[in-house]
Amino acid sequence: RLKFDGAFNNQVNTQSIRVQGGRPSAAYDFNNASDNTIIDSEAIRPADYHIRVANQSLNNVFTRFAPVPQTLKCYVDTSSSVTVTNANGQTLKCSNKK
């Protein structure tokens, strides 16, 4: 898992997170973390969510992101925000379902 806990203004490039043994539950986990950019990365079969954003985590951006399987599963609480686009520049909608 890549966890951003109180992290601001970071950039991560070409990161691949793959589940083993049911973990991580969330591949990319933001907690009180804002203005972070993830570029050319993927999350492969996380137990619960590809992306989890909570506790006033704002303006986090995923560019050219590849969720596996292809339906993006994420949790975004009401105090947070995230934008996710795929390799074709299409915006991916967050589904809060497991």
Side-chain angles (χ1 to χ4, degrees), residues 23-34:
R23 294 287 176 230
S25 64
Y28 293 86
D29 193 352
F30 296 83
N31 181 48
N32 190 30
S34 297

Side-chain angles (χ1 to χ4, degrees), residues 6-97:
F8 298 90
N9 298 312
N10 293 288
Q11 182 173 318
V12 174
N13 296 295
T14 320
Q15 181 71 41
S16 179
I17 298 177
R18 180 180 306 267
V19 167
Q20 291 185 316
R23 294 287 176 230
S25 64
Y28 293 86
D29 193 352
F30 296 83
N31 181 48
N32 190 30
S34 297
D35 301 311
N36 296 290
T37 304
I38 312 299
I39 301 169
D40 290 324
S41 295
E42 66 183 355
I44 302 169
R45 294 182 179 83
D48 294 323
Y49 302 107
H50 293 102
I51 301 167
R52 181 184 170 277
V53 187
N55 299 319
Q56 298 180 1
S57 295
L58 300 169
N59 304 317
N60 294 294
V61 176
F62 286 76
T63 303
R64 296 184 300 271
F65 184 69
V68 178
Q70 290 182 343
T71 300
L72 177 63
K73 296 184 298 181
C74 54
Y75 171 81
V76 182
D77 76 9
T78 58
S79 72
S80 301
S81 66
V82 65
T83 302
V84 183
T85 58
N86 65 15
N88 298 323
Q90 298 168 314
T91 299
L92 301 178
K93 284 185 164 185
C94 282
S95 165
N96 284 340
K97 299 175 183 173

